[in-house]
Amino acid sequence: MKQQVLLYCFLAFYLLLGQSATPVLAQSIVTIPIESKDYALVLQTDSDQRLGITHFGKRLNNAAEYAGIKAMYKRDDNNVGINNNAYTPSGTWSLVEPALQIIHADGNTSTELRYVSHRKEVLANQVTQTSVVLRDPVYATEVTLYFKVYPQNNVFEQWTEIKNAEKGNIRLGKYASANLYFMGSDYYLRHYHGTWAGEMKPEETRLPFGIHTLDSKLGARANLFQPPTFMLSFDQPATENTGKVLLANLAWSGNFKIDFEMDPYHNLRLIAGINPHASEYHLAAGQSFKTPALIYAYGENGIGEVSRNLHSWARNFRILDGNGSRLTLLNNWEATYFDFDEKKLVGLFAGAKKLGVDLFLLDDGWFGNKYPRNGDVAGLGDWQENVKKLPHGIGYLVEEATKAGVKFGIWVEPEMVNPKSELYEKHPDWVIRQPERPEHYYRNQLVLDLSNPEVQDFVFGILDKLFTQNPNIAFIKWDCNAVIYNAHSAYLEKQKMPQTHLYVDYVNGLYSVLERLRKKYPIVPMMLCSGGGGRVDYGSLKYFTEFWVSDNTDPLERIFQQWEYSYYYPAITHCAHITDWSKVGIKFRTDVAMMGKMGYDIVVDQLKPEELEFSQQAIKNYQSISDMIWHGDLYRLVSPWQNPIASSMFVSPQKDRAIVFNYVVSNRYENSFSTAPIKLQGLDPQKKYRLSELNLFPGTRSSINTTAVYSGDFLMTVGFNPNLSLRRTSVLMEVAEVK
Ligand code: GLA
C-alpha cells in the first residue's frame, strides 16, 4: 500500500513536470544506472529499499531520466512479490525462483535484502565496476552485487559476494552469480546439447511460461552434455544483422544451473550460477563466498556485432595471450594412438619439419612403468616416462625435436587417475570415490580430489617438474576425460568439512593450481581439452590460449561445430586439426582447419607427393592470413544449418584485407551450389578490392578473375560468387585492397 501511495505521488509529480523534464523522486529512491557504450542495466530501490531491475536495453541520453522508467510499468503485485528483484532472496515475500537461499546461524530460513550503499569505480581501459551492498534487516548477512562493464564492447561481467557477518555458521543453499530481469514480448533461447564427438548441437526454444533450466551435475568435464553458454533473443529470433540479442557464458568450469523463468507479466527472470545441487556451502562467521561471474554481451543490431564485441573483449581482457600469436603443430594422437616409441616419434619430428609446422605435440601414452600407459585402461597418474618406449626420457625428445627444427609440446591429464596405477595404490585417499560403494569409471578412470591441497600440489608438481627438467617444452595439452561419479572426498571428511563443498572446492582447487602455474609459467601456450570440448568457458580460458573443439575432426561436422562456437569464442581459440578421421580430400580438410587455429594429426610420410606439396603451401598461406583469423573481425555470411553451403569471413581491423571461407555442406546433387553471389560484409564501401583464391590443389586452376577490381560497396551490396560446385566444394578467397 505504502508503495502504491509513493508511486502515485511520483506519477503526479512527473506528469506535472511534463514528460521531458527530469523526474524528481522521493529521497529514499536510489537509481543506479550501469552503462556500457550503448546499453544500460538500471537498478532502482523501491520504497522498502529493495533493489529491482527497471531497465535493460538502450541507454538514455540523459541519465537522470532512468529514475522515471519504473513508473511507466504497472507490475506491482502484492501476491507474488517483486519479480524484478536484482538478487532474489527466499523465505520471506518472494515466491519465485531465488538467487539466494540461506539457513542462518540460528536455523532460520528467511532472508530479506535491502539496499545499503553503492559505489562506482573507473578501472583501467575505461572499464567500470559498480558494487551494490545489500543487507538483511534482521540478520547480519551482507550481499554485494558486482557489475563490471567493458563499455567499448558492450560486455557486462556480473558476480556476487556473500558475507557471513553473523555470529555463527550460515549455510548457503543457493548462491547465484547473477539475477537479471528482461522486459520483452517473447524470448528465444539458443542453447546447446551434445556428447563426446558431438559437441555444441544447437536448439532454439521459444521460452514457455514456467522455468526452463540449463544445468550440469557432471562435476569435472561439466559441459559434456550441455555448456553454460547461450544466446537469448528478445521479441523475435535475432539474425546475424538484426535483432536484440544477448550472448552469455557462466565463467565456471563445474556444475552450473541457469534458470529462465517467465513471470506473469511476460517478463523474463534469469538466474545463473553454480548448481546448488548437492552443494550447500557453509560459511563460518566472518567468511565470504565469491561466486563466479556471468559474462554477457548485448546488442540490438543482430548476433554478428554482439559476437564480434564478445571476441574483442575475450582477446583483450580474458583469454591468455588473446592478442598474441599461436603455434601450428603436428600432433601424434590420431597418427599413432598409444603405439609409439622414441624412434617412431623422432621420425615424426622430421615429418613436422617437412610439413612446415612450428611444433610437435606428443599426446597420451608416454608415461607409466609398473602399469604402462599402452591404452586408456592403465597408468594415468604415473607421470614418469615409460622406459621401454622412451628410454632416454622427454629431455631427449625435446633435444631431437630442436635438432629437427621444431618445438616440442606434451599432453597431460593431471586431474585424473586410472585405478590401475601406482598413484592409486599409494594414495587411494586422493581419489574422489565413495569408500563403501563399488567404484564406477568413466573412460576407465577416476577424478583426483582437488579440494585437497596435497592433491593441488601434486597436480602443480606434474607440470612444474616437466618444465623444470625440460625448460624448452613449448606447449601443453591439458586434458580432462572423466566426470565425477560417487562424489565423496576423504580430505573433506578428515577436515570435518561438509561433503557438499566438494563440487565447488574441486573447481576452486583447479583454478588455484592454474593460477600458481601461470605465476611461474606465464606465457607457455596451453590447450584446454576435455575429451574434446567438454570443458570450455571463460573461467578456464583465463589460463589457456586455446581449446580443443571436439575429438570429432570430420571437416563437415567441424563446419557446424566451429560455427556455433564462433558465436562465443574467437577463432584464435578454436584448435582445428587436419586428420584422417574423414576421407574427404585434404584440401577440404585443410580449408576447414584454417578457420581456426590450424594443426595436423596425420602421418606426414603417408601423404601423397601432391598432398604434401599442397599442405606445405597451405601452411605458408596460413602464416600469411592467420593475423586476420586470430585478430580480425568475423562475419558469418551463410549458415550451414539452412543452406547447402556455408560461408564466413574474417576482416582485418584496417579493412584492407579479408579472407572468405566457402564450403559445400550437402551431399545432394546440384548443378551449382553458387546460383547467387554471397554478400560480403565488414569491408570499406569506398575501398577497391581484388580477389584471389588460396589453397588451390596442385594441378587445379582457379575460376576467379584476379585482375578484376571491385568496390567494397559492390562486394557488400551485390556480393561475389565463389563458384561452389561438386568439383569446387571448398573455396578460400583472399580479398585485398588495391591501393
Ligand atoms: C582425449 C582427447 C584426445 C586425446 C585423447 C588421449 O580424448 O580429446 O585429443 O588427447 O584424450 O587419450
Side-chain angles (χ1 to χ4, degrees):
M1 196 55 201
K2 207 168 115 205
Q3 235 174 305
Q4 269 167 356
V5 172
L6 224 134
L7 189 70
Y8 290 136
C9 292
F10 162 69
L11 266 180
F13 198 32
Y14 188 45
L15 290 172
L16 263 175
L17 283 172
Q19 300 271 338
S20 60
T22 304
V24 180
L25 281 168
Q27 274 284 302
S28 57
I29 304 290
V30 179
T31 306
I32 311 167
I34 294 159
E35 294 176 303
S36 71
K37 180 162 72 68
D38 304 305
Y39 304 101
L41 165 69
V42 181
L43 310 175
Q44 192 175 61
T45 57
D46 66 11
S47 53
D48 289 328
Q49 297 299 296
R50 288 175 188 143
L51 191 70
I53 294 173
T54 58
H55 179 69
F56 185 89
K58 277 217 170 89
R59 59 182 277 174
L60 297 179
N61 293 333
N62 177 2
E65 285 194 308
Y66 288 124
I69 294 176
K70 188 173 178 226
M72 296 297 137
Y73 290 88
K74 308 254 181 241
R75 66 165 89 96
D76 288 304
D77 183 332
N78 287 334
N79 293 322
V80 291
I82 299 164
N83 299 316
N84 71 336
N85 201 278
Y87 201 69
T88 314
S90 62
T92 53
W93 50 272
S94 174
L95 304 176
V96 288
E97 184 63 27
L100 178 71
Q101 261 172 327
I102 300 180
I103 302 180
H104 295 281
D106 63 1
N108 190 286
T109 54
S110 69
T111 300
E112 168 77 285
L113 292 175
R114 302 278 167 93
Y115 167 85
V116 176
S117 63
H118 74 280
R119 198 161 96 95
K120 183 174 168 181
E121 298 162 81
V122 180
L123 314 175
N125 302 312
Q126 297 167 286
V127 175
T128 63
Q129 184 169 301
T130 306
S131 49
V132 188
V133 179
L134 309 171
R135 200 173 292 139
D136 190 305
V138 177
Y139 289 95
T141 307
E142 194 173 280
V143 169
T144 308
L145 309 181
Y146 288 91
F147 303 85
K148 199 164 172 179
V149 180
Y150 302 83
Q152 293 314 312
N153 301 126
N154 292 316
V155 168
F156 298 73
E157 184 178 359
Q158 184 179 342
W159 71 96
T160 300
E161 216 164 308
I162 302 154
K163 187 168 175 210
N164 177 10
E166 299 182 26
K167 295 224 160 50
N169 280 4
I170 65 168
R171 285 177 277 161
L172 304 181
K174 194 170 183 194
Y175 34 92
S177 300
N179 185 166
L180 286 165
Y181 191 65
F182 306 109
M183 282 79 74
S185 56
D186 265 312
Y187 309 91
Y188 293 85
L189 180 70
R190 192 174 184 86
H191 51 109
Y192 298 90
H193 62 274
T195 182
W196 176 78
E199 295 86 343
M200 286 304 266
K201 297 225 158 88
E203 193 168 317
E204 189 134 310
T205 308
R206 179 171 175 235
L207 287 174
F209 276 98
I211 300 188
H212 183 99
T213 300
L214 309 179
D215 97 322
S216 166
K217 304 183 188 77
L218 306 186
R221 201 183 180 176
N223 302 2
L224 179 59
F225 303 132
Q226 187 166 59
T229 307
F230 62 90
M231 184 188 300
L232 187 63
S233 299
F234 300 89
D235 305 333
Q236 54 206 0
T239 68
E240 276 299 308
N241 295 312
T242 64
K244 300 180 191 171
V245 66
L246 178 130
L247 303 187
N249 173 253
L250 184 76
W252 181 245
S253 313
N255 293 351
F256 60 85
K257 183 162 190 267
I258 304 172
D259 288 313
F260 301 85
E261 184 180 28
M262 189 112 72
D263 78 4
Y265 304 97
H266 222 276
N267 296 324
L268 188 70
R269 309 181 65 250
L270 165 60
I271 296 125
I274 293 175
N275 199 330
H277 163 76
S279 293
E280 185 181 82
Y281 213 87
H282 296 206
L283 290 185
Q287 269 187 340
S288 293
F289 186 92
K290 185 177 166 196
T291 72
L294 179 74
I295 314 262
Y296 47 99
Y298 179 73
E300 301 195 348
N301 308 308
I303 305 162
E305 186 184 281
V306 181
S307 164
R308 285 185 289 281
N309 276 332
L310 187 57
H311 293 173
S312 155
W313 167 83
R315 284 190 299 255
N316 288 318
F317 298 103
R318 186 50 60 115
I319 296 158
L320 190 88
D321 200 19
N323 289 313
S325 59
R326 297 291 185 266
L327 299 167
T328 55
L329 57 82
L330 174 69
N331 186 196
N332 71 311
W333 176 240
E334 285 192 36
T336 65
Y337 293 104
F338 295 97
D339 180 21
F340 59 81
D341 60 16
E342 199 169 83
K343 201 162 152 236
K344 199 166 183 180
L345 292 178
V346 173
L348 296 177
F349 298 163
K353 181 65 187 166
K354 192 152 70 171
L355 201 56
V357 292
D358 302 314
L359 177 127
F360 178 85
L361 170 61
L362 173 59
D363 214 283
D364 194 357
W366 57 267
F367 48 87
N369 284 300
K370 182 171 174 193
Y371 301 104
R373 180 77 172 166
N374 291 329
D376 63 12
V377 290
L380 194 62
D382 300 345
W383 298 101
Q384 303 81 33
E385 294 98 324
N386 177 282
V387 290
K388 239 179 166 175
K389 285 179 181 172
L390 307 178
H392 300 97
I394 296 292
Y396 169 79
L397 292 178
V398 181
E399 258 170 47
E400 286 302 306
T402 313
K403 270 193 220 154
V406 287
K407 296 177 197 284
F408 183 85
I410 196 160
W411 177 97
V412 289
E413 190 178 1
E415 300 158 70
M416 318 245 151
V417 62
N418 282 131
K420 253 191 174 177
S421 68
E422 290 184 78
L423 178 68
Y424 182 91
E425 286 173 351
K426 266 192 230 143
H427 295 287
D429 55 323
W430 283 9
V431 178
I432 295 178
R433 53 197 279 277
Q434 291 283 0
E436 306 301 332
R437 294 184 190 278
E439 288 177 351
H440 197 72
Y441 307 124
Y442 194 102
R443 207 197 185 202
N444 313 303
Q445 63 198 56
L446 292 164
V447 180
L448 293 177
D449 179 5
L450 275 170
S451 73
N452 181 345
E454 263 176 40
V455 177
Q456 293 171 20
D457 287 347
F458 169 78
V459 172
F460 172 79
I462 298 165
L463 278 295
D464 193 37
K465 185 171 155 214
L466 275 172
F467 286 130
T468 317
Q469 293 183 349
N470 311 287
N472 289 333
I473 286 184
F475 188 91
I476 298 286
K477 175 176 176 183
W478 180 305
D479 211 341
C480 155
N481 279 292
V483 301
I484 297 180
Y485 290 128
N486 285 320
H488 178 89
S489 158
Y491 169 76
L492 290 174
E493 187 168 293
K494 212 164 141 203
Q495 298 297 311
K496 304 209 173 357
M497 299 287 284
Q499 286 297 326
T500 53
H501 285 200
L502 180 57
Y503 287 123
V504 173
D505 289 358
Y506 180 88
V507 180
N508 283 331
L510 171 68
Y511 289 162
S512 105
V513 170
L514 290 166
E515 197 71 46
R516 208 163 138 198
L517 201 65
R518 281 315 183 185
K519 270 218 177 90
K520 192 156 177 196
Y521 307 102
I523 51 166
V524 182
M526 214 154 69
M527 181 205 287
L528 170 64
C529 176
S530 186
R535 184 169 65 181
V536 191
D537 58 79
Y538 278 124
S540 47
L541 281 174
K542 239 196 224 171
Y543 309 103
F544 291 87
T545 46
E546 53 217 83
F547 69 90
W548 186 226
V549 166
S550 174
D551 275 353
N552 187 341
T553 49
D554 179 298
L556 201 55
E557 291 301 325
R558 279 299 191 107
I559 289 173
F560 289 83
Q561 284 178 325
Q562 290 172 213
W563 180 273
E564 292 305 320
Y565 274 120
S566 84
Y567 289 123
Y568 310 93
Y569 303 105
I572 191 169
T573 60
H574 301 183
C575 291
H577 294 181
I578 295 131
T579 73
D580 288 328
W581 182 300
S582 144
K583 297 299 162 222
V584 173
I586 196 146
K587 172 174 163 55
F588 194 91
R589 285 180 271 158
T590 307
D591 287 358
V592 173
M594 269 201 189
M595 265 198 306
K597 203 226 82 171
M598 180 164 89
Y600 287 83
D601 229 306
I602 52 169
V603 182
V604 177
D605 287 341
Q606 285 172 5
L607 290 174
K608 295 192 186 105
E610 62 276 18
E611 287 176 335
L612 178 64
E613 185 192 334
F614 167 80
S615 304
Q616 288 165 330
Q617 184 56 45
I619 289 169
K620 292 196 183 108
N621 293 342
Y622 186 68
Q623 280 154 358
S624 82
I625 60 170
S626 53
D627 191 39
M628 277 180 279
I629 297 163
W630 296 342
H631 310 121
D633 282 323
L634 168 67
Y635 292 83
R636 282 171 294 263
L637 306 177
V638 183
S639 164
W641 295 106
Q642 289 96 29
N643 302 282
I645 62 169
S647 181
S648 295
M649 72 188 281
F650 294 88
V651 184
S652 73
Q654 301 75 24
K655 299 185 182 295
D656 58 345
R657 271 180 96 197
I659 183 87
V660 191
F661 294 90
N662 308 280
Y663 313 101
V664 172
V665 295
S666 162
N667 275 334
R668 299 188 65 182
Y669 178 80
E670 300 263 5
N671 271 333
S672 162
F673 284 90
S674 276
T675 46
I678 293 171
K679 288 190 180 68
L680 306 193
Q681 292 181 39
L683 300 173
D684 181 340
Q686 308 299 334
K687 286 192 162 130
K688 302 262 178 264
Y689 298 95
R690 214 173 247 142
L691 282 83
S692 58
E693 194 168 337
L694 287 181
N695 281 5
L696 282 168
F697 198 75
T700 58
R701 287 200 3 239
S702 174
S703 61
I704 292 172
N705 175 0
T706 51
T707 58
V709 173
Y710 305 90
S711 66
D713 177 40
F714 179 91
L715 294 171
M716 293 193 290
T717 309
V718 177
F720 189 85
N721 198 321
N723 297 331
L724 286 165
S725 68
L726 277 177
R727 288 194 307 148
R728 281 168 63 80
T729 51
S730 163
V731 175
L732 213 160
M733 299 184 311
E734 186 176 353
V735 183
E737 186 186 352
V738 182
K739 296 216 172 142

